[in-house]
Amino acid sequence: MSQQDRRPTRKEEDILRLLATKAHYGTRNLNHSMKKYVEARTPEGVHIFNVDLIWQKIKIAARIIATVKNPEDVIVVSARPYGQRAVVKFSKYTGALSTSTSRWTPGTLTNQNTKKHQEPRLLIVTDPRSDRQAVVEASYVNIPTIALCDTDSSLEYVDCAIPCNNRDTKAISMVYWLLAREVLILRGQLFKDEEWDVLVDLFFHRDPEKDIEVRREDQADEQEAIGDKEEEGGQWDKQQDEEAWKGQ
């Protein structure tokens, strides 16, 4: 088989997905604990992650999640609005629990007197800085934490870091999509060589205001198209009437 006819492996396809969503793009700031994941720096000063390390850490995180027998013992959190939809979709397909709002209720893991008190076995956060309260509370009660970390993120109280761009909805969604797929494969709910029929687009954050504008534009285009058709039909009827009158 020639090199051109060779089909890309699953790992190569995943790496191409990560590159397409710019999950390897970091920030201009670099935390000393994230240096081991960075392989380059652009002329503009933006640090670039090693894509192979991103893929490896997703696999490791999936194994950690799969070891939790009860899927509801995993809590996924995102204080960033453009990561909430990805968190909800990840929870839907893996059976984990997600927070209903972007605001973390203080004492959720430490105060047993609160109505929202929970005792999970694993915590997943989209950004250790924005979700700092959840990460700190998890450290108090010895709950391991998986975090999506950018180049400027601190790894304090983080047990498993997934280095990636956690400031873009496409990058966040792709990481959660790959993570969910790997968890389903490890649980036996999905074959290793089977294509997952869930599109990553479902994980993308959507702005309601932009959706309304797009719908209005579509409706206006439809009304304009209907008006053009009616106008053409009216002109055709008029032409027929003129031809019939001349025939008489």
Side-chain angles (χ1 to χ4, degrees):
M1 182 181 292
S2 64
Q3 188 70 18
Q4 294 180 351
D5 297 335
R6 187 181 70 86
R7 185 178 178 181
T9 62
R10 196 176 192 85
K11 178 182 178 180
E12 290 173 346
E13 290 178 349
D14 292 345
I15 288 178
L16 289 175
R17 289 188 177 105
L18 292 169
L19 291 172
T21 55
K22 297 183 179 180
H24 61 303
Y25 272 52
T27 64
R28 293 183 178 181
N29 299 324
L30 179 62
N31 190 292
H32 69 281
S33 56
M34 295 296 294
K35 283 184 179 180
K36 55 187 176 183
Y37 302 114
V38 175
E39 68 172 359
R41 187 179 180 184
T42 65
E44 293 78 17
V46 178
H47 294 88
I48 304 297
F49 285 117
N50 186 326
V51 188
D52 190 62
L53 289 179
I54 300 176
W55 185 80
Q56 291 179 20
K57 296 294 284 190
I58 290 174
K59 300 277 284 188
I60 294 172
R63 291 180 183 181
I64 296 172
I65 298 169
T67 57
V68 181
K69 292 183 179 180
N70 184 7
E72 293 186 354
D73 285 339
V74 179
I75 294 183
V76 196
V77 181
S78 176
R80 294 185 180 276
Y82 37 85
Q84 289 175 14
R85 185 178 177 86
V87 162
V88 170
K89 291 296 181 180
F90 175 85
S91 302
K92 175 184 176 182
Y93 294 112
T94 61
L97 295 179
S98 61
T99 53
S100 57
T101 60
S102 60
R103 183 179 181 277
W104 175 265
T105 304
T108 300
L109 304 179
T110 55
N111 189 354
Q112 297 181 357
N113 296 324
T114 59
K115 294 181 179 180
K116 293 185 178 182
H117 177 69
Q118 294 176 330
E119 296 180 354
R121 294 187 58 191
L122 181 65
L123 175 69
I124 305 174
V125 297
T126 307
D127 183 8
R129 177 179 295 175
S130 302
D131 305 311
R132 175 70 178 177
Q133 181 69 30
V135 174
V136 172
E137 288 189 17
S139 69
Y140 290 160
V141 290
N142 294 325
I143 296 175
T145 300
I146 298 173
L148 276 61
C149 299
D150 214 324
T151 56
D152 59 348
S153 299
S154 172
L155 298 185
E156 187 179 17
Y157 306 130
V158 174
D159 299 282
C160 177
I162 302 177
C164 66
N165 177 6
N166 64 8
R167 286 172 167 80
D168 182 75
T169 180
K170 292 183 179 180
I172 294 172
S173 301
M174 180 54 69
V175 171
Y176 273 115
W177 185 86
L178 291 172
L179 193 59
R181 191 196 66 184
E182 290 300 320
V183 171
L184 294 178
I185 291 173
L186 291 171
R187 289 177 179 171
Q189 300 176 6
L190 194 70
F191 291 108
K192 187 174 182 180
D193 298 329
E194 181 182 356
E195 282 293 333
W196 196 23
D197 56 358
V198 176
L199 298 176
V200 69
D201 301 40
L202 298 175
F203 287 63
F204 289 171
H205 169 69
R206 296 178 182 175
D207 190 350
E209 294 181 358
K210 289 185 179 180
D211 289 343
I212 293 173
E213 290 179 2
V214 171
R215 289 178 184 175
R216 287 176 179 173
E217 290 177 359
D218 292 341
Q219 290 176 357
D221 293 340
E222 290 177 2
Q223 292 294 332
E224 186 178 352
I226 292 171
D228 292 341
K229 288 182 179 179
E230 290 178 351
E231 186 178 351
E232 290 176 1
Q235 291 176 355
W236 186 76
D237 292 339
K238 184 179 179 181
Q239 185 178 0
Q240 276 191 332
D241 293 340
E242 290 178 355
E243 291 177 356
W245 182 77
K246 288 179 181 179
Q248 293 177 357

